[in-house]
Amino acid sequence: MVLDLKYILIGFLIIGSIVPLYFYREAIYRRLYKKGSTKAFMKDCEIYLVSNHPKIPFDFNIEEKYQDEKDIRVKETLIVEDFVNQYLEYEYELTTQTSLPKESLWGGYEANSRLVKDNKRPTDWARRKEAAWNRDNGKCNRCGTKTKLVDSQALLAKQMKDGGGFNLENIVILCSDCTKVIKSENKQRTAKDLNLTYKLMRKVEG
Protein backbone atom coordinates (compact mmCIF):
# COMPACT_ATOMS: atom_id res chain seq x y z
CA MET A 1 0.00 0.00 0.00
CA VAL A 2 2.91 2.32 0.83
CA LEU A 3 4.52 1.44 -2.49
CA ASP A 4 1.31 2.27 -4.36
CA LEU A 5 1.15 5.63 -2.61
CA LYS A 6 4.68 6.45 -3.75
CA TYR A 7 3.78 5.70 -7.35
CA ILE A 8 0.71 7.90 -7.06
CA LEU A 9 2.80 10.79 -5.71
CA ILE A 10 5.39 10.37 -8.45
CA GLY A 11 2.60 10.33 -11.03
CA PHE A 12 1.16 13.58 -9.71
CA LEU A 13 4.62 15.21 -9.83
CA ILE A 14 5.16 14.17 -13.46
CA ILE A 15 1.71 15.40 -14.49
CA GLY A 16 2.29 18.62 -12.56
CA SER A 17 5.48 19.28 -14.52
CA ILE A 18 3.80 18.62 -17.87
CA VAL A 19 0.67 20.74 -17.33
CA PRO A 20 2.52 24.10 -17.54
CA LEU A 21 4.07 23.03 -20.85
CA TYR A 22 0.63 22.10 -22.13
CA PHE A 23 -0.83 25.49 -21.32
CA TYR A 24 2.17 27.43 -22.65
CA ARG A 25 2.90 25.26 -25.68
CA GLU A 26 1.57 27.89 -28.09
CA ALA A 27 3.74 30.60 -26.55
CA ILE A 28 6.81 28.36 -26.80
CA TYR A 29 5.93 27.37 -30.36
CA ARG A 30 5.60 31.02 -31.38
CA ARG A 31 9.15 31.67 -30.18
CA LEU A 32 10.57 28.84 -32.27
CA TYR A 33 8.31 29.49 -35.22
CA LYS A 34 9.43 32.46 -37.25
CA LYS A 35 7.32 34.21 -39.86
CA GLY A 36 8.28 36.94 -42.29
CA SER A 37 9.58 37.63 -45.79
CA THR A 38 12.56 35.96 -47.42
CA LYS A 39 13.07 38.87 -49.83
CA ALA A 40 16.10 40.30 -48.01
CA PHE A 41 17.53 36.80 -47.52
CA MET A 42 17.22 36.02 -51.23
CA LYS A 43 18.91 39.28 -52.18
CA ASP A 44 21.73 38.64 -49.72
CA CYS A 45 22.25 35.16 -51.18
CA GLU A 46 22.21 36.49 -54.73
CA ILE A 47 24.84 39.14 -53.97
CA TYR A 48 27.04 36.56 -52.26
CA LEU A 49 26.73 33.89 -54.95
CA VAL A 50 27.20 36.23 -57.92
CA SER A 51 30.21 37.86 -56.27
CA ASN A 52 31.90 34.68 -55.08
CA HIS A 53 30.87 32.11 -57.69
CA PRO A 54 30.35 34.13 -60.90
CA LYS A 55 30.75 31.15 -63.26
CA ILE A 56 27.84 29.21 -61.80
CA PRO A 57 24.51 30.24 -63.44
CA PHE A 58 22.37 30.07 -60.30
CA ASP A 59 18.60 30.24 -60.67
CA PHE A 60 17.40 32.90 -58.23
CA ASN A 61 13.71 32.46 -59.11
CA ILE A 62 13.25 29.50 -56.80
CA GLU A 63 11.40 31.09 -53.89
CA GLU A 64 7.99 30.19 -55.29
CA LYS A 65 8.91 26.49 -55.10
CA TYR A 66 8.73 26.79 -51.32
CA GLN A 67 5.87 29.26 -51.01
CA ASP A 68 3.72 26.78 -49.03
CA GLU A 69 6.30 26.66 -46.23
CA LYS A 70 5.24 29.17 -43.59
CA ASP A 71 8.18 28.86 -41.21
CA ILE A 72 10.77 31.27 -42.61
CA ARG A 73 13.76 29.40 -41.17
CA VAL A 74 12.65 26.15 -42.74
CA LYS A 75 11.97 27.97 -46.00
CA GLU A 76 15.41 29.61 -46.01
CA THR A 77 17.05 26.26 -45.27
CA LEU A 78 15.24 24.69 -48.24
CA ILE A 79 16.41 27.56 -50.43
CA VAL A 80 20.01 27.06 -49.28
CA GLU A 81 19.75 23.35 -50.09
CA ASP A 82 18.50 24.30 -53.55
CA PHE A 83 21.44 26.66 -54.18
CA VAL A 84 23.93 24.06 -52.95
CA ASN A 85 22.33 21.46 -55.21
CA GLN A 86 22.65 23.83 -58.19
CA TYR A 87 26.33 24.23 -57.32
CA LEU A 88 26.79 20.46 -57.13
CA GLU A 89 24.93 19.73 -60.37
CA TYR A 90 26.65 22.40 -62.47
CA GLU A 91 28.14 20.55 -65.43
CA TYR A 92 31.87 21.03 -65.76
CA GLU A 93 34.65 19.18 -67.51
CA LEU A 94 38.36 19.54 -66.90
CA THR A 95 39.90 20.92 -70.09
CA THR A 96 43.32 22.12 -71.15
CA GLN A 97 44.19 25.75 -70.43
CA THR A 98 46.35 28.40 -72.00
CA SER A 99 50.09 28.17 -71.60
CA LEU A 100 52.57 30.91 -70.76
CA PRO A 101 54.97 32.73 -73.10
CA LYS A 102 58.23 30.80 -73.49
CA GLU A 103 60.17 33.66 -71.92
CA SER A 104 58.14 33.14 -68.72
CA LEU A 105 59.20 29.50 -68.41
CA TRP A 106 62.27 28.30 -66.53
CA GLY A 107 65.15 25.93 -67.03
CA GLY A 108 64.14 22.30 -66.88
CA TYR A 109 60.50 23.09 -67.60
CA GLU A 110 60.22 20.97 -70.73
CA ALA A 111 62.05 18.02 -69.25
CA ASN A 112 59.94 18.03 -66.08
CA SER A 113 56.71 18.31 -68.05
CA ARG A 114 56.97 14.71 -69.19
CA LEU A 115 55.66 11.79 -67.21
CA VAL A 116 58.14 10.59 -64.63
CA LYS A 117 58.53 7.20 -63.00
CA ASP A 118 55.77 6.05 -60.62
CA ASN A 119 53.59 9.05 -61.60
CA LYS A 120 55.43 11.27 -59.13
CA ARG A 121 55.08 15.01 -59.41
CA PRO A 122 58.13 16.86 -60.75
CA THR A 123 60.46 18.65 -58.34
CA ASP A 124 59.21 22.01 -59.62
CA TRP A 125 55.52 21.17 -59.05
CA ALA A 126 55.01 24.01 -56.56
CA ARG A 127 56.37 26.46 -59.12
CA ARG A 128 54.07 25.06 -61.80
CA LYS A 129 51.04 25.34 -59.54
CA GLU A 130 51.90 28.96 -58.71
CA ALA A 131 52.42 29.78 -62.40
CA ALA A 132 49.02 28.28 -63.26
CA TRP A 133 47.42 30.12 -60.33
CA ASN A 134 48.89 33.44 -61.53
CA ARG A 135 47.81 32.67 -65.10
CA ASP A 136 44.21 32.31 -63.88
CA ASN A 137 44.41 35.37 -61.61
CA GLY A 138 43.93 33.17 -58.56
CA LYS A 139 40.41 32.14 -59.60
CA CYS A 140 38.77 28.73 -59.64
CA ASN A 141 38.30 27.45 -63.19
CA ARG A 142 34.92 25.89 -62.37
CA CYS A 143 33.07 28.46 -60.24
CA GLY A 144 35.26 31.57 -60.58
CA THR A 145 35.80 32.15 -56.87
CA LYS A 146 38.97 33.92 -55.77
CA THR A 147 41.34 31.58 -53.94
CA LYS A 148 44.59 31.97 -52.08
CA LEU A 149 47.49 30.02 -53.54
CA VAL A 150 47.76 27.87 -50.42
CA ASP A 151 44.03 27.02 -50.54
CA SER A 152 43.82 26.34 -54.27
CA GLN A 153 43.97 22.88 -55.80
CA ALA A 154 45.82 21.96 -58.98
CA LEU A 155 44.35 19.10 -61.03
CA LEU A 156 45.41 17.63 -64.34
CA ALA A 157 42.95 18.11 -67.21
CA LYS A 158 44.25 14.99 -68.93
CA GLN A 159 45.33 12.25 -66.59
CA MET A 160 48.81 10.77 -66.95
CA LYS A 161 47.38 7.31 -67.72
CA ASP A 162 45.73 8.95 -70.74
CA GLY A 163 48.93 10.60 -71.90
CA GLY A 164 48.71 13.86 -69.97
CA GLY A 165 51.80 15.57 -68.61
CA PHE A 166 52.77 18.27 -66.16
CA ASN A 167 52.83 21.06 -68.74
CA LEU A 168 50.99 24.23 -67.66
CA GLU A 169 48.27 23.78 -70.28
CA ASN A 170 47.30 20.56 -68.50
CA ILE A 171 47.14 22.12 -65.01
CA VAL A 172 43.73 23.39 -63.89
CA ILE A 173 43.27 25.55 -60.78
CA LEU A 174 40.21 24.86 -58.64
CA CYS A 175 38.93 25.92 -55.24
CA SER A 176 38.61 23.31 -52.49
CA ASP A 177 34.81 23.10 -52.87
CA CYS A 178 34.91 22.44 -56.60
CA THR A 179 37.66 19.87 -56.11
CA LYS A 180 35.41 18.04 -53.63
CA VAL A 181 32.53 18.13 -56.10
CA ILE A 182 34.62 16.77 -58.99
CA LYS A 183 36.05 13.96 -56.87
CA SER A 184 32.78 13.22 -55.07
CA GLU A 185 31.24 9.76 -55.13
CA ASN A 186 28.32 10.83 -52.92
CA LYS A 187 27.09 14.35 -53.64
CA GLN A 188 24.67 14.46 -50.71
CA ARG A 189 27.48 13.72 -48.30
CA THR A 190 29.75 16.18 -50.10
CA ALA A 191 27.13 18.94 -49.76
CA LYS A 192 27.52 18.87 -45.98
CA ASP A 193 31.29 19.42 -46.24
CA LEU A 194 31.21 22.39 -48.59
CA ASN A 195 32.33 25.82 -47.44
CA LEU A 196 29.44 27.17 -49.55
CA THR A 197 26.92 25.30 -47.40
CA TYR A 198 28.47 26.70 -44.23
CA LYS A 199 28.45 30.27 -45.57
CA LEU A 200 24.82 30.16 -46.69
CA MET A 201 23.58 28.47 -43.51
CA ARG A 202 25.21 31.26 -41.51
CA LYS A 203 22.83 33.62 -43.30
CA VAL A 204 19.88 31.49 -42.19
CA GLU A 205 21.08 31.42 -38.59
CA GLY A 206 21.75 35.15 -38.67
Side-chain angles (χ1 to χ4, degrees):
M1 190 69 178
V2 175
L3 185 61
D4 291 340
L5 184 59
K6 284 184 178 179
Y7 278 116
I8 292 171
L9 289 173
I10 292 172
F12 275 120
L13 288 172
I14 292 173
I15 293 172
S17 63
I18 294 174
V19 168
L21 288 178
Y22 177 79
F23 285 115
Y24 293 105
R25 69 191 187 286
E26 290 188 4
I28 293 171
Y29 182 69
R30 281 196 296 269
R31 287 186 180 182
L32 297 175
Y33 187 91
K34 181 182 177 184
K35 294 182 179 180
S37 172
T38 57
K39 186 176 181 180
F41 172 77
M42 288 294 294
K43 189 61 180 179
D44 192 22
C45 286
E46 182 175 356
I47 292 171
Y48 175 81
L49 292 171
V50 171
S51 299
N52 290 280
H53 305 284
K55 287 190 175 183
I56 307 289
F58 290 100
D59 178 10
F60 296 106
N61 298 312
I62 60 173
E63 189 176 6
E64 60 183 26
K65 291 165 60 176
Y66 311 105
Q67 61 184 354
D68 293 336
E69 179 54 59
K70 303 305 179 184
D71 188 326
I72 190 172
R73 290 195 185 280
V74 174
K75 187 175 182 179
E76 289 175 352
T77 300
L78 291 172
I79 289 171
V80 166
E81 290 177 354
D82 197 306
F83 283 139
V84 171
N85 190 57
Q86 290 182 49
Y87 181 88
L88 287 166
E89 297 299 330
Y90 174 62
E91 291 187 12
Y92 170 82
E93 185 177 351
L94 289 168
T95 56
T96 54
Q97 306 297 302
T98 57
S99 186
L100 293 178
K102 288 187 177 181
E103 57 269 22
S104 299
L105 304 179
W106 51 92
Y109 170 81
E110 290 295 340
N112 285 332
S113 291
R114 295 189 292 272
L115 180 63
V116 293
K117 187 178 180 181
D118 300 326
N119 293 341
K120 290 182 179 179
R121 289 175 174 175
T123 55
D124 60 356
W125 173 253
R127 188 171 184 178
R128 289 169 186 267
K129 177 185 175 182
E130 184 174 4
W133 181 80
N134 284 322
R135 174 199 65 199
D136 298 339
N137 299 311
K139 295 180 180 180
C140 173
N141 190 263
R142 180 178 182 269
C143 73
T145 193
K146 189 80 173 176
T147 66
K148 294 180 180 178
L149 176 59
V150 68
D151 296 327
S152 64
Q153 304 290 319
L155 274 61
L156 298 181
K158 188 177 183 181
Q159 297 303 308
M160 291 180 285
K161 62 182 178 63
D162 298 322
F166 294 106
N167 49 304
L168 285 172
E169 306 96 284
N170 199 39
I171 297 176
V172 182
I173 297 298
L174 298 172
C175 66
S176 60
D177 273 5
C178 284
T179 302
K180 290 176 183 177
V181 172
I182 289 174
K183 294 183 176 181
S184 175
E185 296 181 356
N186 186 322
K187 290 187 177 181
Q188 294 305 315
R189 188 179 302 165
T190 300
K192 300 177 182 178
D193 297 329
L194 296 179
N195 184 54
L196 173 64
T197 303
Y198 171 76
K199 293 287 189 181
L200 293 180
M201 284 306 299
R202 285 289 300 272
K203 296 181 184 299
V204 174
E205 295 164 3

